[in-house]
Amino acid sequence: MRSADDEMKKPPKSDGGKETGRPDRNVGEALRQAYDEAVSEAVPDDLLDLLKKLD
């Protein structure tokens, strides 16, 4: 006899490395996009003031 807990313990079935429900995306491309977005963000003025106080 099998319980619901037994079903939860099974590893997910492999589908060739693709995640279901998500579009195929190159990991490197996604990381570059995240990096570019982070670099383009402005540094808040209060953080800049704090850094100036450390000098």
Side-chain angles (χ1 to χ4, degrees):
M1 181 177 241
R2 296 171 70 182
S3 70
D5 288 334
D6 291 335
E7 291 297 319
M8 297 297 288
K9 293 177 185 175
K10 286 184 179 179
K13 292 182 181 177
S14 175
D15 60 353
K18 295 181 183 177
E19 294 185 32
T20 58
R22 293 186 183 183
D24 288 340
R25 238 177 115 169
N26 183 339
V27 174
E29 180 182 326
L31 288 171
R32 277 189 288 279
Q33 182 179 356
Y35 175 81
D36 289 341
E37 289 173 4
V39 168
S40 67
E41 289 181 8
V43 178
D45 290 335
D46 55 341
L47 182 58
L48 289 174
D49 291 340
L50 181 61
L51 289 172
K52 288 177 185 176
K53 290 178 182 179
L54 293 174
D55 278 341

